[in-house]
Amino acid sequence: MIFDNRPYSFDRVARLAVGAVSLWALVMLLGYLSDVLVPFAVALILAYILNPVVRRIQGYVKSRPLAIALTLLIFLLGGAALGMIVVPLVGREIAHMGRLISELLSNSKLAAEAAKRLPPDIWQALRDYFALPEVQDFFRTDSFVSMVQAALRKVVPGLVGLISGTYSLIMALVVPVIVLLYLIFLLLDFQRVQVVWKEMIPPQYRENVVSFVEEFDQATSRYFRGQTTICAILCLVFASGFFLIGLPMGVLLGFFVGVLNLIPYLQILGLIPAVVLGAIHALETGQSFWVVMALIGVVFLVAQILQDVVLTPRIMGKAMGLSPAVMLLSLSIWGKLLGMLGLLIALPMTCLFLTYYRRLVLKQHAPAPVPAAEET
């Protein structure tokens, strides 16, 4: 390995240099292909998360394809039901927020109240921010269509030029269908690949490689599947809490703060937009600013207690993951290198490198899995 006592001969240095160049070339290739690899990466992550559910259902129905169909049906129906509730709420929130911004930028009663109750510097900063073209564009009625089209141009290059205009709705369905097809194929082959790949490793390396991959799988499955479950629950908690206190854009903000929980304690960043929206809510309703801030604080406090006291101990057990600082640094570096693809693979790749370093460089092994964090 790199950190051992062997002398650095010319041959060894050359092999290290070739390995470094090959690694950099691989990163560059992934960057070049990142637009078309994003749907596959999304499907691979979903397959990794859903495979335990498929295996559980397969234990009852005995058929892998039927288990996959039932699993996808359950999640699609659940997603559709959630979408039927959330999408209209988010649409109304965006329209409502657009009206509030228009009133704040005009000489309306709301603008006069804001100028009266807010410090002059803060009021001017808010006006300047809401007057930005990108902020105005976001709250236009066709903003979601524009965002979908922009995303499609990056994810499925070339197809957008073939289908446009009245076919934008069809284009909006292209990427989900591609991801769904990838997901089905990956789930169908999941069991076979778990067995076959070991036979493709040369016998002299098989034991070490298989042990290394199993350790990596143990680290990622115990942590990320549990953290994804916690994140989904907290999305609902934050969205429900902000909606109940009447916060503008509350549902959208709640899901945003919940997603931030993929990195533990990063949800604290959600306080910034929450305070701004809370100030707007206080101006609109005439409530005390501090009362609104107290309600927002209660939502964050309840969510944090639920996470630390109930969800993390029951779902995560004693599973050890990356520290929040390492996770944030990993997302920043991989996101800079590979864009959206980098954000998707950042944490698994960081776990892979750390597992390699611990096992093959430091000659350490992962601790035995704890019962509370075993895969279900």
Side-chain angles (χ1 to χ4, degrees):
M1 295 299 106
I2 296 177
F3 303 103
D4 56 26
N5 296 322
R6 289 183 299 166
Y8 281 86
S9 62
F10 176 80
D11 180 65
R12 189 183 182 200
V13 171
R15 282 189 280 112
L16 290 174
V18 170
V21 171
S22 300
L23 180 61
W24 181 251
L26 178 62
V27 172
M28 293 297 99
L29 180 62
L30 289 175
Y32 178 74
L33 298 175
S34 62
D35 290 342
V36 295
L37 289 177
V38 166
F40 180 79
V42 171
L44 183 60
I45 293 172
L46 290 176
Y48 192 76
I49 294 173
L50 293 180
N51 185 58
V53 181
V54 174
R55 292 201 320 181
R56 177 68 63 87
I57 295 178
Q58 186 179 354
Y60 294 101
V61 301
K62 309 303 180 185
S63 170
R64 180 78 177 180
L66 181 57
I68 293 172
L70 290 175
T71 301
L72 294 179
L73 180 62
I74 291 171
F75 279 88
L76 289 176
L77 290 178
L82 184 63
M84 291 176 65
I85 298 173
V86 171
V87 171
L89 287 176
V90 172
R92 288 196 293 269
E93 286 184 341
I94 290 178
H96 178 228
M97 190 65 185
R99 290 192 296 270
L100 290 179
I101 289 177
S102 297
E103 292 183 22
L104 286 172
L105 293 177
S106 63
N107 295 322
S108 64
K109 180 180 178 181
L110 183 63
E113 185 69 16
K116 177 182 176 182
R117 297 177 62 179
L118 294 176
D121 293 342
I122 294 179
W123 169 231
Q124 188 59 46
L126 283 176
R127 285 178 64 91
D128 293 342
Y129 175 75
F130 289 137
L132 292 175
E134 51 268 31
V135 176
Q136 296 286 319
D137 290 341
F138 179 81
F139 293 101
R140 294 200 333 257
T141 56
D142 61 344
S143 61
F144 278 123
V145 175
S146 300
M147 285 188 289
V148 168
Q149 290 177 339
L152 288 173
R153 290 189 184 95
K154 302 190 71 146
V155 176
V156 193
L159 289 182
V160 175
L162 299 177
I163 305 177
S164 60
T166 58
Y167 295 97
S168 60
L169 178 61
I170 298 176
M171 278 304 300
L173 298 175
V174 169
V175 175
V177 169
I178 292 175
V179 172
L180 181 61
L181 290 175
Y182 276 141
L183 177 59
I184 292 173
F185 296 144
L186 287 170
L187 287 174
L188 284 171
D189 291 336
F190 215 96
Q191 281 185 317
R192 185 172 62 85
V193 171
Q194 284 182 317
V195 176
V196 171
W197 77 269
K198 300 177 183 179
E199 301 174 357
M200 301 175 64
I201 307 298
Q204 63 269 31
Y205 304 116
R206 186 172 300 164
E207 182 179 354
N208 288 334
V209 172
V210 169
S211 179
F212 167 75
V213 172
E214 288 177 349
E215 181 179 331
F216 165 69
D217 178 68
Q218 174 184 309
T220 54
S221 64
R222 286 190 300 157
Y223 186 76
F224 293 113
R225 283 172 181 152
Q227 194 64 34
T228 300
T229 303
I230 293 174
C231 174
I233 295 173
L234 290 178
C235 281
L236 297 178
V237 171
F238 276 109
S240 301
F242 291 149
F243 176 76
L244 290 176
I245 66 177
L247 203 65
M249 303 281 291
V251 174
L252 198 58
L253 176 64
F255 279 102
F256 170 71
V257 176
V259 169
L260 289 178
N261 277 274
L262 284 173
I263 301 178
Y265 307 110
L266 193 64
Q267 69 268 26
I268 197 70
L269 294 179
L271 279 172
I272 299 174
V275 168
V276 174
L277 294 173
I280 295 174
H281 180 59
L283 292 172
E284 180 189 13
T285 60
Q287 296 183 46
S288 167
F289 172 79
W290 298 112
V291 170
V292 176
M293 291 301 106
L295 293 174
I296 293 174
V298 167
V299 174
F300 274 90
L301 181 61
V302 169
Q304 193 65 52
I305 292 175
L306 179 64
Q307 178 180 359
D308 292 341
V309 177
V310 180
L311 297 178
T312 299
R314 288 183 176 272
I315 296 175
M316 298 291 292
K318 296 181 181 179
M320 296 299 293
L322 302 174
S323 71
V326 172
M327 295 172 74
L328 187 58
L329 179 62
S330 169
L331 289 169
S332 301
I333 293 175
W334 285 97
K336 178 67 175 178
L337 288 174
L338 301 176
M340 178 58 69
L341 179 64
L343 293 176
L344 291 172
I345 68 173
L347 301 183
M349 291 303 297
T350 302
C351 269
L352 181 66
F353 287 142
L354 290 178
T355 301
Y356 171 85
Y357 180 80
R358 182 177 63 249
R359 186 177 184 87
L360 301 182
V361 178
L362 300 181
K363 306 297 184 182
Q364 296 176 355
H365 297 271
V370 292
E374 286 180 354
E375 181 184 297
T376 56

Tab-separated table of all heavy atoms in Angstrom, residues 109-129:
chain	number	residue	atom	x	y	z
A	109	LYS	N	-50.669	48.458	1.450
A	109	LYS	CA	-50.761	48.509	2.908
A	109	LYS	C	-49.717	47.600	3.546
A	109	LYS	O	-49.126	47.942	4.577
A	109	LYS	CB	-52.169	48.090	3.338
A	109	LYS	CG	-52.394	48.112	4.837
A	109	LYS	CD	-53.813	47.690	5.183
A	109	LYS	CE	-54.021	47.653	6.691
A	109	LYS	NZ	-55.393	47.216	7.057
A	110	LEU	N	-49.488	46.418	2.926
A	110	LEU	CA	-48.494	45.494	3.454
A	110	LEU	C	-47.100	46.100	3.390
A	110	LEU	O	-46.304	45.948	4.326
A	110	LEU	CB	-48.538	44.184	2.668
A	110	LEU	CG	-47.606	43.071	3.145
A	110	LEU	CD1	-47.970	42.636	4.564
A	110	LEU	CD2	-47.662	41.866	2.206
A	111	ALA	N	-46.781	46.809	2.295
A	111	ALA	CA	-45.477	47.453	2.176
A	111	ALA	C	-45.303	48.553	3.214
A	111	ALA	O	-44.229	48.708	3.807
A	111	ALA	CB	-45.302	48.017	0.770
A	112	ALA	N	-46.375	49.319	3.446
A	112	ALA	CA	-46.304	50.371	4.462
A	112	ALA	C	-46.100	49.783	5.854
A	112	ALA	O	-45.339	50.319	6.670
A	112	ALA	CB	-47.583	51.213	4.417
A	113	GLU	N	-46.774	48.654	6.130
A	113	GLU	CA	-46.618	47.998	7.423
A	113	GLU	C	-45.199	47.455	7.585
A	113	GLU	O	-44.621	47.529	8.682
A	113	GLU	CB	-47.629	46.852	7.539
A	113	GLU	CG	-47.651	46.155	8.878
A	113	GLU	CD	-48.201	47.022	9.998
A	113	GLU	OE1	-48.844	48.048	9.701
A	113	GLU	OE2	-47.970	46.668	11.170
A	114	ALA	N	-44.625	46.912	6.500
A	114	ALA	CA	-43.260	46.409	6.564
A	114	ALA	C	-42.269	47.534	6.814
A	114	ALA	O	-41.339	47.395	7.619
A	114	ALA	CB	-42.915	45.681	5.263
A	115	ALA	N	-42.450	48.660	6.129
A	115	ALA	CA	-41.569	49.798	6.323
A	115	ALA	C	-41.672	50.345	7.744
A	115	ALA	O	-40.690	50.863	8.295
A	115	ALA	CB	-41.907	50.897	5.318
A	116	LYS	N	-42.835	50.201	8.346
A	116	LYS	CA	-43.055	50.694	9.701
A	116	LYS	C	-42.441	49.778	10.758
A	116	LYS	O	-41.850	50.257	11.742
A	116	LYS	CB	-44.553	50.850	9.940
A	116	LYS	CG	-44.936	51.289	11.349
A	116	LYS	CD	-46.446	51.355	11.481
A	116	LYS	CE	-46.855	51.693	12.919
A	116	LYS	NZ	-48.338	51.712	13.068
A	117	ARG	N	-42.543	48.465	10.562
A	117	ARG	CA	-42.165	47.508	11.608
A	117	ARG	C	-40.746	46.968	11.468
A	117	ARG	O	-40.180	46.473	12.441
A	117	ARG	CB	-43.150	46.337	11.625
A	117	ARG	CG	-44.568	46.744	11.977
A	117	ARG	CD	-45.530	45.573	11.922
A	117	ARG	NE	-45.180	44.530	12.880
A	117	ARG	CZ	-45.888	43.409	13.041
A	117	ARG	NH1	-46.993	43.220	12.303
A	117	ARG	NH2	-45.515	42.502	13.915
A	118	LEU	N	-40.190	47.049	10.262
A	118	LEU	CA	-38.853	46.501	10.051
A	118	LEU	C	-37.808	47.605	10.084
A	118	LEU	O	-38.082	48.743	9.664
A	118	LEU	CB	-38.775	45.773	8.709
A	118	LEU	CG	-39.621	44.509	8.543
A	118	LEU	CD1	-39.495	43.973	7.124
A	118	LEU	CD2	-39.204	43.442	9.552
A	119	PRO	N	-36.585	47.298	10.557
A	119	PRO	CA	-35.486	48.274	10.456
A	119	PRO	C	-35.255	48.647	8.994
A	119	PRO	O	-35.390	47.799	8.099
A	119	PRO	CB	-34.295	47.504	11.038
A	119	PRO	CG	-34.892	46.454	11.922
A	119	PRO	CD	-36.186	46.070	11.262
A	120	PRO	N	-34.905	49.915	8.731
A	120	PRO	CA	-34.764	50.378	7.337
A	120	PRO	C	-33.802	49.530	6.498
A	120	PRO	O	-34.091	49.227	5.334
A	120	PRO	CB	-34.250	51.816	7.500
A	120	PRO	CG	-34.718	52.236	8.856
A	120	PRO	CD	-34.694	51.008	9.696
A	121	ASP	N	-32.669	49.145	7.073
A	121	ASP	CA	-31.688	48.361	6.293
A	121	ASP	C	-32.248	46.993	5.906
A	121	ASP	O	-32.065	46.531	4.768
A	121	ASP	CB	-30.397	48.189	7.097
A	121	ASP	CG	-29.662	49.506	7.297
A	121	ASP	OD1	-29.959	50.454	6.537
A	121	ASP	OD2	-28.815	49.587	8.204
A	122	ILE	N	-32.920	46.330	6.855
A	122	ILE	CA	-33.489	45.009	6.576
A	122	ILE	C	-34.614	45.122	5.559
A	122	ILE	O	-34.727	44.297	4.636
A	122	ILE	CB	-33.997	44.361	7.880
A	122	ILE	CG1	-32.807	44.076	8.807
A	122	ILE	CG2	-34.766	43.070	7.578
A	122	ILE	CD1	-33.199	43.450	10.126
A	123	TRP	N	-35.442	46.126	5.687
A	123	TRP	CA	-36.551	46.323	4.752
A	123	TRP	C	-36.033	46.564	3.339
A	123	TRP	O	-36.532	45.991	2.367
A	123	TRP	CB	-37.430	47.476	5.228
A	123	TRP	CG	-38.447	47.976	4.256
A	123	TRP	CD1	-38.674	49.269	3.869
A	123	TRP	CD2	-39.412	47.205	3.521
A	123	TRP	NE1	-39.690	49.355	2.958
A	123	TRP	CE2	-40.160	48.084	2.723
A	123	TRP	CE3	-39.696	45.853	3.452
A	123	TRP	CZ2	-41.170	47.672	1.874
A	123	TRP	CZ3	-40.709	45.426	2.606
A	123	TRP	CH2	-41.439	46.334	1.833
A	124	GLN	N	-34.982	47.383	3.213
A	124	GLN	CA	-34.430	47.654	1.893
A	124	GLN	C	-33.778	46.408	1.309
A	124	GLN	O	-33.896	46.134	0.099
A	124	GLN	CB	-33.400	48.787	1.980
A	124	GLN	CG	-32.894	49.273	0.624
A	124	GLN	CD	-34.008	49.777	-0.276
A	124	GLN	OE1	-34.874	50.539	0.161
A	124	GLN	NE2	-34.004	49.353	-1.538
A	125	ALA	N	-33.115	45.616	2.158
A	125	ALA	CA	-32.488	44.382	1.680
A	125	ALA	C	-33.538	43.396	1.171
A	125	ALA	O	-33.347	42.746	0.135
A	125	ALA	CB	-31.662	43.744	2.796
A	126	LEU	N	-34.675	43.311	1.870
A	126	LEU	CA	-35.762	42.436	1.425
A	126	LEU	C	-36.336	42.899	0.094
A	126	LEU	O	-36.591	42.095	-0.806
A	126	LEU	CB	-36.867	42.381	2.481
A	126	LEU	CG	-36.595	41.504	3.708
A	126	LEU	CD1	-37.734	41.630	4.711
A	126	LEU	CD2	-36.422	40.046	3.294
A	127	ARG	N	-36.540	44.188	-0.029
A	127	ARG	CA	-37.075	44.727	-1.296
A	127	ARG	C	-36.125	44.453	-2.452
A	127	ARG	O	-36.550	44.061	-3.544
A	127	ARG	CB	-37.327	46.238	-1.165
A	127	ARG	CG	-38.570	46.600	-0.356
A	127	ARG	CD	-38.712	48.112	-0.250
A	127	ARG	NE	-38.927	48.702	-1.566
A	127	ARG	CZ	-40.116	48.918	-2.116
A	127	ARG	NH1	-41.214	48.567	-1.450
A	127	ARG	NH2	-40.229	49.482	-3.288
A	128	ASP	N	-34.829	44.663	-2.213
A	128	ASP	CA	-33.845	44.406	-3.269
A	128	ASP	C	-33.824	42.931	-3.656
A	128	ASP	O	-33.697	42.588	-4.838
A	128	ASP	CB	-32.451	44.843	-2.802
A	128	ASP	CG	-32.343	46.362	-2.635
A	128	ASP	OD1	-33.205	47.075	-3.194
A	128	ASP	OD2	-31.421	46.812	-1.930
A	129	TYR	N	-33.951	42.055	-2.649
A	129	TYR	CA	-33.917	40.620	-2.934
A	129	TYR	C	-35.146	40.194	-3.725
A	129	TYR	O	-35.033	39.482	-4.730
A	129	TYR	CB	-33.831	39.835	-1.628
A	129	TYR	CG	-33.916	38.341	-1.832
A	129	TYR	CD1	-32.835	37.620	-2.345
A	129	TYR	CD2	-35.086	37.650	-1.541
A	129	TYR	CE1	-32.904	36.258	-2.546
A	129	TYR	CE2	-35.174	36.276	-1.746
A	129	TYR	CZ	-34.085	35.592	-2.251
A	129	TYR	OH	-34.182	34.243	-2.459
